[in-house]
């Protein structure tokens, strides 16, 4: 290329190349943040699943303790030996205490109530991370498309945005700002 058109095209190409470099940087950032959000989604899902399994185990143990206490209370009615009645009453009290401990254990946060709250919190974290992952995936796709369009503009010599000529710096700024807006990063998402 030579003459006036080559100089103008070279300047335009440099501007578009700069835009491509910025878009590639933003793409890399979106991919890294998307991968981080995906990892957080998986970790939170595993944590929620583990907590719900623990909750179910506590429910089973609580039911067994309650059933044992009820059965022993029923048997206690027919027992006349005072020593045996005392032993059975103590055992009933232990079964009931165990059942109560399975329901709520604030010290260790391993009672059914606490496990349920922790599992729901993990599910909430999982859902938030999944939404972030989805948004970063959309942003990555948008940046990839923008890079392809900008590359095509260099190859074809067609303007990137609009049909009228714009100075390269203004065009680059518009492309980059529209790419950033598509990620939702400015709004904290």
């Amino acid at each position: 290329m030579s003459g006036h058109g080559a100089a103008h095209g070279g300047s335009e190409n440099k501007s578009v190349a700069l835009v491509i470099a910025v878009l590639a940087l933003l793409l890399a950032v979106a991919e890294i943040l998307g991968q981080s959000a995906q990892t957080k989604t998986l970790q939170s899902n595993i944590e929620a699943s583990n907590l719900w399994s623990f909750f179910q185990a506590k429910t089973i143990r609580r039911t067994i303790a309650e059933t044992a206490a009820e059965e022993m209370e029923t048997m206690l009615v027919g027992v006349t030996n005072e020593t045996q009645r005392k032993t059975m009453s103590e055992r009933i009290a232990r079964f009931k205490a165990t059942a109560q401990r399975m329901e709520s254990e604030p010290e260790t946060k391993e009672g059914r109530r606490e496990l349920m709250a922790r599992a729901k919190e993990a599910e909430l974290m999982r859902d938030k991370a999944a939404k972030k992952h989805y948004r970063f995936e959309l942003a990555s796709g948008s940046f990839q498309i923008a890079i392809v369009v900008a590359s095509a503009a260099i190859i074809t010599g067609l303007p990137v945005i609009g049909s009228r000529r714009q100075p390269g710096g203004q065009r680059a700024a518009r492309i980059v700002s529209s790419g950033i807006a598509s990620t939702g990063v400015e709004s904290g998402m």
Side-chain angles (χ1 to χ4, degrees), residues 5-16 168:
H8 183 69
S11 171
E12 284 289 312
N13 287 347
K14 285 180 183 179
S15 295
V16 175

Side-chain angles (χ1 to χ4, degrees), residues 19-87:
V19 169
I20 291 172
V22 171
L23 288 170
L25 172 69
L26 293 173
L27 172 61
V29 170
E31 286 290 325
I32 290 168
L33 294 175
Q35 197 64 20
S36 175
Q38 183 180 35
T39 301
K40 182 67 175 172
T41 300
L42 294 171
Q43 288 172 337
S44 297
N45 193 48
I46 291 167
E47 181 180 356
S49 179
N50 287 343
L51 289 167
W52 282 120
S53 294
F54 197 11
F55 172 85
Q56 289 173 338
K58 287 282 187 165
T59 300
I60 292 167
R61 289 179 65 196
R62 178 176 175 254
T63 302
I64 290 170
E66 286 176 340
T67 303
E70 290 170 4
E71 183 179 345
M72 199 165 278
E73 283 175 335
T74 303
M75 291 175 13
L76 186 62
V77 174
V79 175
T80 56
N81 182 318
E82 201 52 45
T83 306
Q84 206 173 18
R85 284 182 68 78
K86 182 180 177 194
T87 303

Side-chain angles (χ1 to χ4, degrees), residues 14-183:
K14 285 180 183 179
S15 295
V16 175
L18 179 61
V19 169
I20 291 172
V22 171
L23 288 170
L25 172 69
L26 293 173
L27 172 61
V29 170
E31 286 290 325
I32 290 168
L33 294 175
Q35 197 64 20
S36 175
Q38 183 180 35
T39 301
K40 182 67 175 172
T41 300
L42 294 171
Q43 288 172 337
S44 297
N45 193 48
I46 291 167
E47 181 180 356
S49 179
N50 287 343
L51 289 167
W52 282 120
S53 294
F54 197 11
F55 172 85
Q56 289 173 338
K58 287 282 187 165
T59 300
I60 292 167
R61 289 179 65 196
R62 178 176 175 254
T63 302
I64 290 170
E66 286 176 340
T67 303
E70 290 170 4
E71 183 179 345
M72 199 165 278
E73 283 175 335
T74 303
M75 291 175 13
L76 186 62
V77 174
V79 175
T80 56
N81 182 318
E82 201 52 45
T83 306
Q84 206 173 18
R85 284 182 68 78
K86 182 180 177 194
T87 303
M88 288 177 77
S89 294
E90 288 171 358
R91 198 167 276 178
I92 290 168
R94 282 197 310 265
F95 282 137
K96 287 183 177 184
T98 298
Q100 182 55 40
R101 194 179 75 247
M102 295 296 140
E103 182 60 29
S104 180
E105 208 171 354
E107 310 83 40
T108 62
K109 295 185 181 181
E110 292 183 352
R112 289 178 69 248
R113 288 183 195 154
E114 294 81 15
L115 290 169
M116 182 187 305
R118 290 170 54 198
K120 287 181 180 181
E121 183 179 323
E123 287 176 334
L124 183 64
M125 289 173 57
R126 174 202 61 204
D127 295 345
K128 284 182 180 179
K131 286 179 183 175
K132 283 183 180 181
H133 176 247
Y134 176 73
R135 288 186 179 122
F136 282 120
E137 285 296 313
L138 289 177
S140 294
S142 298
F143 288 134
Q144 289 171 2
I145 291 169
I147 289 169
V148 169
V149 169
S151 299
I154 289 177
I155 294 168
T156 63
L158 296 175
V160 177
I161 296 178
S163 59
R164 60 175 202 224
R165 286 290 207 202
Q166 297 177 6
Q170 287 178 353
R171 184 179 318 156
R174 288 179 76 193
I175 291 172
V176 170
S177 65
S178 67
I180 291 172
S182 73
T183 66

